[in-house]
Amino acid sequence: GAKSSTQIHTHMCYCEFEDCMDAIDRLDTDVNSIENARSDDATLKAFQDIGYGKGLGPGTYDIHSPVVPPTDFISSKIRSFLACMQKEHLFINPDCGLKTRGWPETIDALRNMVTATKAIRAEIAVASC
C-alpha cells in the first residue's frame, strides 16, 4: 500500500455525480479532480452540498474546445471556485485530459492557467495581510 504521506489523486469526468456522491465521498483519496467546465459549476456545487472536505480540482476550462482560454477567464473561474470552497482544498487543473488538443494550444492554455493561478495567489496573499 501507499505510505500515509503519499497524496492520492483521482479524476472523474462527465457523469451524474449527484447519483453517487456518497460513494465518491467514501473514496480513499486526498484529491478528486472533476469535470466542471461544461457544467457551469453544478458539479462543484454538488460536492459543496455534501460537505466534501477533501481536496478538489474542478476543471478551469474545457479541453475539448480548441479555444485557448484567456487568463482573465481562468482567473474568473478560480474566483468562482473560491466562493464555494476553502482555498486549502482547491487544486487548479484543466478539465479532463489533454489528449484531444495539439501541443501549441495545450501549452498556451496551460501557460494561461498557471499565470491566472499565480495572480489569484498574489491577490489572496495581499488580502490576508
Side-chain angles (χ1 to χ4, degrees):
K3 295 179 183 178
S4 61
S5 61
T6 302
Q7 194 175 58
I8 307 296
H9 288 244
T10 189
H11 172 77
M12 298 179 182
C13 58
Y14 303 109
C15 77
E16 297 298 328
F17 288 100
E18 294 83 1
D19 293 345
C20 52
M21 290 305 289
D22 291 335
I24 293 170
D25 196 30
R26 289 191 309 269
L27 287 173
D28 186 19
T29 60
D30 299 301
V31 179
N32 191 349
S33 295
I34 57 170
E35 172 280 320
N36 183 70
R38 291 182 173 185
S39 75
D40 196 30
D41 290 345
T43 306
L44 175 60
K45 291 171 184 158
F47 279 82
Q48 180 188 24
D49 287 347
I50 67 158
Y52 193 76
K54 301 174 187 176
L56 196 61
T60 56
Y61 69 91
D62 181 9
I63 59 89
H64 294 99
S65 170
V67 174
V68 174
T71 302
D72 289 347
F73 172 83
I74 297 174
S75 294
S76 176
K77 292 299 292 184
I78 294 171
R79 285 186 193 95
S80 76
F81 301 158
L82 289 168
C84 295
M85 60 187 297
Q86 297 174 348
K87 67 181 187 245
E88 296 80 13
H89 292 164
L90 179 59
F91 286 73
I92 304 301
N93 49 257
D95 255 6
C96 299
L98 299 168
K99 67 183 179 183
T100 63
R101 305 279 45 100
W103 281 111
E105 63 193 286
T106 298
I107 291 168
D108 289 346
L110 290 175
R111 184 176 291 120
N112 289 354
M113 188 179 70
V114 169
T115 299
T117 301
K118 287 179 178 179
I120 297 295
R121 285 179 179 163
E123 288 176 16
I124 290 170
V126 168
S128 58
C129 289

